[in-house]
Amino acid sequence: MTLKDSYQNSLNLQSPNLNPQKQRIIKLLREFKKRKKDKPYRWIKLNRPQYDFDNLPPEKKIRQFLGGNKSGKTTIGLIECIKIALGEHPILSKHIPTPNVGWICCPDMLLHTTISIPELLKWVSLNDIQKLPSKNYPHLIFKNGSKMFFKSYEMKPIKYSGANVHYILFDEEPPEDIYKEALPRILAYSGYMFITMTPIPEEDQEGMTWTYDEIYIKATPTSSVAVVEGSIYDNKANILQADIEEFETKYDINERMIRIYGKYREASGKYLHQFREKNIIHPDYIPSKGVNFRGIDVGISVPTACVWVRYCYIPEENRCKIYVYREYAKKEEGISFHAQRIREETKEEIKTSFIDPKSKSREYNNAISVQKSYYDRGIKTILANNDREYGFSKLNDLFLKEELYISSGCPQLIWEIRHYYKKASRKSQDEKDSPRRKADDSIDALRYCIASLPAVIRGTGEEGEIGTTAYKFKNSKTGR
């Protein structure tokens, strides 16, 4: 008798060599193997981010899994779809009927052939499938009647219109126009959208991709959007630690944050990195009493921007807070137009207006300075402190201490803050630490105010009086 025959004979439940206890163990092992083969998706061992993604509450309709390369994002996206299709999702199957219809979408059909479909078939039994996808038949039919259609981003957005589906999976970030065309498709069935992606910007993109504004920052406890973040280190059960460390050495710090940890580029190089959603406040919660200032950043080919800032004493906290309560930004108009609009927008007493220091020397109509032109049109200004390092340091400090708030009615300023980041340059350190000048007009207007505010502001009573050093400004350019 060969060794193989001996082994097979030992597994024979009728063998006289097996006592009843061993027979029960072998029977259980066979049953476990059969069940695992029949329903492999039930036996997957999820890492922590995957588990969190799988257990999101049903009110989260748009779900983003933001992960580094090899963090398990494709797997969890497909597992979600399999469970929904078979009616076995522990949470969503209570809200989605079976059979159902879904889309699996990725950058091109070749990726479906080489990655998506093989990974899907790894976790679903052929016993549950009625018809497999093929080149001329790009959808999968389950025996229970559920259907999965495979689409690519190579298709025109019109191909994503018309039909209603119960769920959509975008494996990697889709083009924005395809996302907006696909989003209404889940409304009829109150369905779900999954986006599993690594936020790698295109070659011609500077900074974060569109999903940062449309999805990532909209994920709040009360919204219908949820974001789960994972890194390659969460998938250590499937990848050797040494291989991960070797992979890390291939990229610089900014690329590493994207590919290893799944962070948006801005998240790794953000200039105003202390700004948080809690620094945004509804206009109704801004105190009506305080000392008001304006900051003005002048522009010709770029927008002229103005922000209104209120310095308030909060007696309950015995400290002062700063609120940006109004904004203005307009491009390609003359000083007369801007001055009139700023005056019209100003409905309260303004203590001081701070203006771009360059406005003193910049000529307007080859005659007078920009600062003098605003003065002639009823807007008196002081040349602001333009120390960028001090200004940004002060802004970050105030954001961190929750002493600076931006009204939700200032969308331009909020957008600029979120998109103001350090250059991802491999040149000199000075270039790396300088901000990328993408859109910063409203930020500069705010920075002029914050950097130029009086050194001492004494809170006395509800209105908050300016202290004795009210007009002793530290300005290396003007000496004021």
Side-chain angles (χ1 to χ4, degrees), residues 32-92:
F32 172 76
K33 188 175 181 179
K34 179 179 179 299
R35 291 186 182 185
K36 190 173 182 179
K37 184 177 180 180
D38 289 343
K39 305 288 182 182
Y41 57 88
R42 291 180 178 176
W43 304 95
I44 183 173
K45 187 176 180 180
L46 301 177
N47 59 42
R48 172 50 62 179
Q50 290 175 328
Y51 178 84
D52 292 342
F53 194 73
D54 187 50
N55 286 274
L56 288 171
E59 58 267 20
K60 300 298 182 181
K61 298 291 185 178
I62 300 176
R63 303 167 175 221
Q64 182 187 38
F65 188 97
L66 201 62
N69 296 131
K70 300 298 180 181
S71 59
K73 58 186 186 298
T74 297
T75 299
I76 188 58
L78 292 172
I79 290 292
E80 295 295 283
C81 296
I82 292 170
K83 288 180 178 180
I84 292 173
L86 296 176
E88 293 196 23
H89 196 286
I91 298 173
L92 301 186

Side-chain angles (χ1 to χ4, degrees), residues 302-461:
V302 296
T304 289
C306 178
V307 297
W308 284 256
V309 173
R310 180 168 296 152
Y311 204 109
C312 305
Y313 173 68
I314 312 298
E316 304 86 38
E317 302 180 34
N318 193 29
R319 63 172 175 166
C320 291
K321 292 186 178 181
I322 301 174
Y323 300 87
V324 182
Y325 61 94
R326 190 180 299 132
E327 69 174 4
Y328 164 79
K330 187 71 177 178
K331 186 179 180 181
E332 296 175 351
E333 296 288 352
I335 289 180
S336 296
F337 177 88
H338 295 310
Q340 181 180 347
R341 288 295 306 275
I342 291 172
R343 289 199 313 270
E344 290 173 350
E345 292 287 337
T346 303
K347 304 173 177 63
E348 58 284 306
E349 179 185 356
I350 299 296
K351 194 73 176 180
T352 308
S353 295
F354 304 102
I355 196 168
D356 183 350
K358 295 179 181 178
S359 63
K360 183 178 181 180
S361 57
R362 186 181 297 172
E363 293 186 345
Y364 176 64
N365 286 344
N366 298 318
I368 58 177
S369 70
V370 172
Q371 184 186 24
K372 181 64 164 58
S373 297
Y374 274 99
Y375 179 85
D376 293 341
R377 289 162 178 79
I379 296 181
K380 300 177 183 180
T381 61
I382 295 176
L383 297 181
N385 179 353
N386 197 26
D387 186 334
R388 300 178 70 85
E389 183 177 352
Y390 171 75
F392 284 118
S393 174
K394 193 68 177 175
L395 284 169
N396 275 318
D397 185 55
L398 291 171
F399 282 136
L400 178 63
K401 294 178 179 178
E402 297 183 39
E403 293 179 353
L404 175 58
Y405 294 88
I406 314 295
S407 167
S408 57
C410 299
Q412 178 62 28
L413 176 59
I414 293 172
W415 187 91
E416 289 184 15
I417 291 173
R418 287 170 172 162
H419 292 79
Y420 203 61
Y421 64 101
K422 297 178 183 178
K423 292 181 178 179
S425 172
R426 297 187 180 183
K427 298 180 180 179
S428 68
Q429 188 64 36
D430 290 340
E431 286 188 61
K432 288 183 181 180
D433 290 340
S434 62
R436 187 182 293 275
R437 304 293 295 278
K438 187 175 182 181
D440 60 356
D441 309 290
S442 296
I443 287 179
D444 282 345
L446 174 60
R447 180 169 57 82
Y448 297 151
C449 274
I450 298 303
S452 307
L453 279 174
V456 177
I457 294 185
R458 186 175 298 135
T460 57

Side-chain angles (χ1 to χ4, degrees), residues 18-194:
L18 293 179
N19 59 41
Q21 184 178 3
K22 288 184 177 180
Q23 289 180 355
R24 285 196 299 271
I25 293 174
I26 292 175
K27 190 173 182 179
L28 288 172
L29 288 173
R30 287 180 176 177
E31 180 65 21
F32 172 76
K33 188 175 181 179
K34 179 179 179 299
R35 291 186 182 185
K36 190 173 182 179
K37 184 177 180 180
D38 289 343
K39 305 288 182 182
Y41 57 88
R42 291 180 178 176
W43 304 95
I44 183 173
K45 187 176 180 180
L46 301 177
N47 59 42
R48 172 50 62 179
Q50 290 175 328
Y51 178 84
D52 292 342
F53 194 73
D54 187 50
N55 286 274
L56 288 171
E59 58 267 20
K60 300 298 182 181
K61 298 291 185 178
I62 300 176
R63 303 167 175 221
Q64 182 187 38
F65 188 97
L66 201 62
N69 296 131
K70 300 298 180 181
S71 59
K73 58 186 186 298
T74 297
T75 299
I76 188 58
L78 292 172
I79 290 292
E80 295 295 283
C81 296
I82 292 170
K83 288 180 178 180
I84 292 173
L86 296 176
E88 293 196 23
H89 196 286
I91 298 173
L92 301 186
S93 290
K94 299 175 183 177
H95 304 271
I96 297 178
T98 305
N100 48 64
V101 179
W103 291 348
I104 312 295
C105 315
C106 75
D108 57 60
M109 295 305 293
L110 179 61
L111 289 177
H112 277 314
T113 304
T114 58
I115 297 177
S116 302
I117 295 175
E119 183 69 16
L120 186 147
L121 295 178
K122 177 181 175 182
W123 299 108
V124 64
S125 171
L126 292 178
N127 296 330
D128 290 320
I129 297 175
Q130 179 177 321
K131 188 173 182 63
L132 289 168
S134 64
K135 183 176 180 180
N136 299 321
Y137 193 83
H139 61 280
L140 183 151
I141 301 177
F142 291 86
K143 288 184 177 179
N144 67 0
S146 293
K147 296 180 180 180
M148 282 184 183
F149 291 83
F150 296 88
K151 292 177 174 287
S152 79
Y153 306 160
E154 298 171 320
M155 298 177 175
K156 295 181 179 180
I158 192 67
K159 296 293 185 179
Y160 287 80
S161 63
N164 295 318
V165 294
H166 296 89
Y167 62 90
I168 299 173
L169 167 63
F170 286 115
D171 187 25
E172 296 303 347
E173 182 181 70
E176 187 175 6
D177 55 353
I178 287 180
Y179 166 80
K180 290 184 176 179
E181 189 63 50
L183 188 58
R185 307 306 138 219
I186 61 174
L187 296 181
Y189 295 139
S190 188
Y192 293 84
M193 180 177 287
F194 308 99

